Amino acid sequence: MNVGAPLRFEELLAALTKQRLLSPQDAQRFFTEQSVQTARLARELRIEQGLAPGAEKQIAGQISPVELLLAFSPSDPSGQQLTEDRVTEVFAKCWQLPYVKLDPLELDPEMVTSAFSKAFARKHNMIAVEQSDTTLTVATTNPSNHWGVEGIERAAGKRVELVIASRSDIQRLIKEFYGFRGSVKRAEQKLTEGVDLGNLEQFVRLKTEREIEASDQHVVHAVEYMLNYAFQLRASDIHVEPKRNDS
């Protein structure tokens, strides 16, 4: 896939203003203050990533127009807060690319994790969402990332089709598919190594809770992720349902 030049911040502001999602006054103020806001964001990201002082310039070049805009906590002319999803949707229209709201229940975990590595996914803010014999559909926050697209096309041997999704959705699913689901799969392989389990009843007979030691780190990681994920969503309950022949 051919990727174009990066979308400029002022182009996103103009698109939001045209759709009356941003007042001309706010758009002008954000444009004027973008350098100060970019420097603040870059500094916060450097500290968050544990990088040495001086890395701000490189980080600043990687901040997307959507991230920069959201740092202003923008509201529409009626005073309604602009959400990341709404801004990302407008961003996608600017690129003339489909916007997708990612749903983990609609994705194939095996396809997602085999398309490219977790490190690559996190670095480029990309996640595979669908594939055919000749194409791989990838959700991204940065359609101008030609290095990422070319890397995937070389590794997969398929043409990449891009769609746009919010950064939060992509990062959340990277954690879920490469983190929790991966831990569960590794735990399953470890607990059932060398045993042909036909059903849950046989599993219970062969592996009681006493035999699942705290040293089974894949189980520990899976449970920790599940609890942290539930906490982030402010869930009041966690329900685990054993299902035969289902992972």
Side-chain angles (χ1 to χ4, degrees):
M1 176 179 181
N2 295 324
V3 290
L7 185 77
R8 299 193 305 274
F9 184 56
E10 55 266 35
E11 292 177 300
L12 177 60
L13 293 175
L16 289 163
T17 303
K18 184 177 181 180
Q19 295 191 31
R20 298 182 180 179
L21 293 172
L22 204 62
S23 70
Q25 295 79 11
D26 280 345
Q28 181 60 47
R29 177 168 63 88
F30 297 159
F31 177 77
T32 302
E33 298 176 3
Q34 64 177 302
S35 297
V36 175
Q37 195 68 268
T38 299
R40 183 185 67 80
L41 268 180
R43 183 172 60 255
E44 291 178 354
L45 289 171
R46 177 187 67 77
I47 295 172
E48 178 183 313
Q49 297 171 14
L51 300 177
E56 287 86 354
K57 185 176 181 180
Q58 180 181 359
I59 294 173
Q62 299 171 354
I63 296 173
S64 75
V66 174
E67 289 178 274
L68 180 55
L69 178 67
L70 292 173
F72 287 97
S73 299
S75 300
D76 65 22
S78 70
Q80 186 74 24
Q81 187 86 19
L82 280 179
T83 65
E84 181 182 12
D85 285 336
R86 191 70 186 93
V87 175
T88 303
E89 189 174 2
V90 174
F91 178 75
K93 287 181 179 178
C94 291
W95 276 98
Q96 298 183 340
L97 288 172
Y99 163 78
V100 295
K101 181 63 180 174
L102 297 177
D103 183 348
L105 297 179
E106 296 179 354
L107 301 181
D108 177 5
E110 186 66 28
M111 182 276 298
V112 170
T113 55
S114 63
F116 40 83
S117 69
K118 178 181 180 181
F120 185 95
R122 292 185 64 181
K123 178 180 179 181
H124 295 281
N125 286 311
M126 290 179 166
I127 190 165
V129 296
E130 190 177 352
Q131 69 173 343
S132 68
D133 292 338
T134 58
T135 64
L136 182 67
T137 302
V138 175
T140 182
T141 59
N142 181 14
S144 64
N145 182 1
H146 62 278
W147 296 111
V149 171
E150 290 176 1
I152 295 172
E153 288 183 333
R154 285 196 302 269
K158 297 180 179 182
R159 183 169 55 88
V160 168
E161 291 288 347
L162 293 179
V163 295
I164 305 294
S166 72
R167 179 184 179 86
S168 295
D169 278 356
I170 291 175
Q171 290 298 316
R172 175 172 56 85
L173 292 188
I174 288 174
K175 289 180 181 178
E176 177 172 347
F177 283 98
Y178 291 93
F180 175 68
R181 291 175 184 263
S183 290
V184 168
K185 187 171 183 178
R186 289 188 294 271
E188 179 186 45
Q189 292 171 346
K190 183 175 181 181
L191 292 173
T192 63
E193 186 176 2
V195 179
D196 182 15
L197 299 182
N199 53 51
L200 179 61
E201 292 83 358
Q202 186 179 1
F203 174 81
V204 172
R205 289 198 301 269
L206 292 174
K207 199 78 171 178
T208 69
E209 68 275 9
R210 293 179 184 177
E211 296 175 280
I212 303 176
E213 303 290 346
S215 59
D216 285 325
Q217 288 302 311
H218 296 314
V219 177
V220 174
H221 292 161
V223 173
E224 285 181 347
Y225 181 89
M226 180 170 61
L227 293 174
N228 286 329
Y229 187 64
F231 176 77
Q232 291 172 11
L233 294 180
R234 298 295 189 269
S236 59
D237 299 274
I238 299 175
H239 299 278
V240 179
E241 298 181 9
K243 294 182 179 180
R244 185 175 302 175
N245 297 328
D246 194 8
S247 58

